[in-house]
Amino acid sequence: MKNGISDTERFILLVLWAVILFVEMATGFFYSDVHPLIKFSPFKALFIYLLIRELWCKYKKRRR
């Protein structure tokens, strides 16, 4: 647990990432004429969650 993310949480995020990817590929959303900011927003949301989570864990370790 280097950066504060447990193995279970990593697995859940990996499964979420794969499900989002498969759903968007199956519906053809990647090939539509939607703006890239909207098209990749679920992936960006997962990245932002990981970033906030890592910063929060570093903050908690520093306070101890």
Side-chain angles (χ1 to χ4, degrees), residues 10-25:
R10 283 179 200 223
F11 179 73
I12 291 170
L13 289 171
L14 179 66
V15 169
L16 278 174
W17 188 279
V19 166
I20 291 170
L21 183 68
F22 288 135
V23 166
E24 289 192 2
M25 286 176 57

Side-chain angles (χ1 to χ4, degrees), residues 4-58:
I5 299 172
S6 67
D7 291 336
T8 307
E9 191 173 10
R10 283 179 200 223
F11 179 73
I12 291 170
L13 289 171
L14 179 66
V15 169
L16 278 174
W17 188 279
V19 166
I20 291 170
L21 183 68
F22 288 135
V23 166
E24 289 192 2
M25 286 176 57
T27 59
F29 194 65
F30 284 135
Y31 306 113
S32 64
D33 292 335
V34 179
H35 195 274
L37 288 176
I38 297 170
K39 193 183 295 187
F40 298 110
S41 61
F43 299 108
K44 292 176 184 176
L46 287 176
F47 175 73
I48 290 171
Y49 169 76
L50 286 174
L51 184 67
I52 291 172
R53 173 79 175 172
E54 183 176 342
L55 291 174
W56 178 255
C57 288
K58 285 182 182 178

